[in-house]
Amino acid sequence: VSEKDAQADYEKMMADASEKRAADSKSITEKSDAKATAEEALQEEKEKKKDTTKELMATLEYIQSLHGECDWLMQNYAARREARVGEIDAISKAKDVLNGADYALLQRRVARRTSFLGF
């Protein structure tokens, strides 16, 4: 009787071991698939990060160039404003000349004064 019980226990243990091996094999396959999927997602995210980093660098370069342009505009604002005022005055005088005004007499008088003063 004990030999039959031992044989039954052995067969049960072998069946259990076989089921466990099958379950472990299935688990390994599922985990391998999950790992492959995770690695693929990781690679995609690395590529996205690389592209985003390139875009960020381009944006930072553009901002830097804008900053340089703004600095130049701020430094030269007074000179540009004076030039603009001179242009507006010249355009106004040109319109007056086209409408019949004569600035030649004024130019001669100014020239005589400056030559008299020694300028």
Side-chain angles (χ1 to χ4, degrees), residues 3-105:
E3 191 173 309
K4 285 186 180 182
D5 289 339
Q7 182 65 31
D9 288 344
Y10 174 77
E11 288 176 4
K12 184 176 182 323
M13 182 183 75
M14 291 305 287
D16 289 345
S18 177
E19 288 177 16
K20 183 167 181 353
R21 278 194 306 273
D24 288 347
S25 177
K26 183 178 177 186
S27 174
I28 288 172
T29 303
E30 289 172 354
K31 288 178 182 178
S32 295
D33 290 344
K35 180 182 175 189
T37 303
E39 286 176 347
E40 185 178 313
L42 176 64
Q43 188 62 32
E44 288 175 8
E45 292 301 320
K46 283 182 179 180
E47 289 176 16
K48 282 183 188 177
K49 180 185 177 216
K50 184 179 176 183
D51 292 342
T52 303
T53 302
K54 283 182 182 178
E55 186 178 339
L56 173 64
M57 294 303 289
T59 302
L60 290 175
E61 274 185 37
Y62 179 69
I63 289 172
Q64 187 65 27
S65 72
L66 286 179
H67 188 48
E69 288 178 27
C70 288
D71 286 347
W72 184 86
L73 289 173
M74 294 298 291
Q75 289 171 353
N76 297 308
Y77 175 74
R80 292 176 65 239
R81 189 180 82 219
E82 288 177 24
R84 212 64 58 234
V85 167
E87 289 173 1
I88 291 170
D89 185 47
I91 289 172
S92 175
K93 287 180 182 179
K95 282 174 56 178
D96 290 344
V97 167
L98 290 174
N99 287 328
D102 188 13
Y103 283 104
L105 186 58

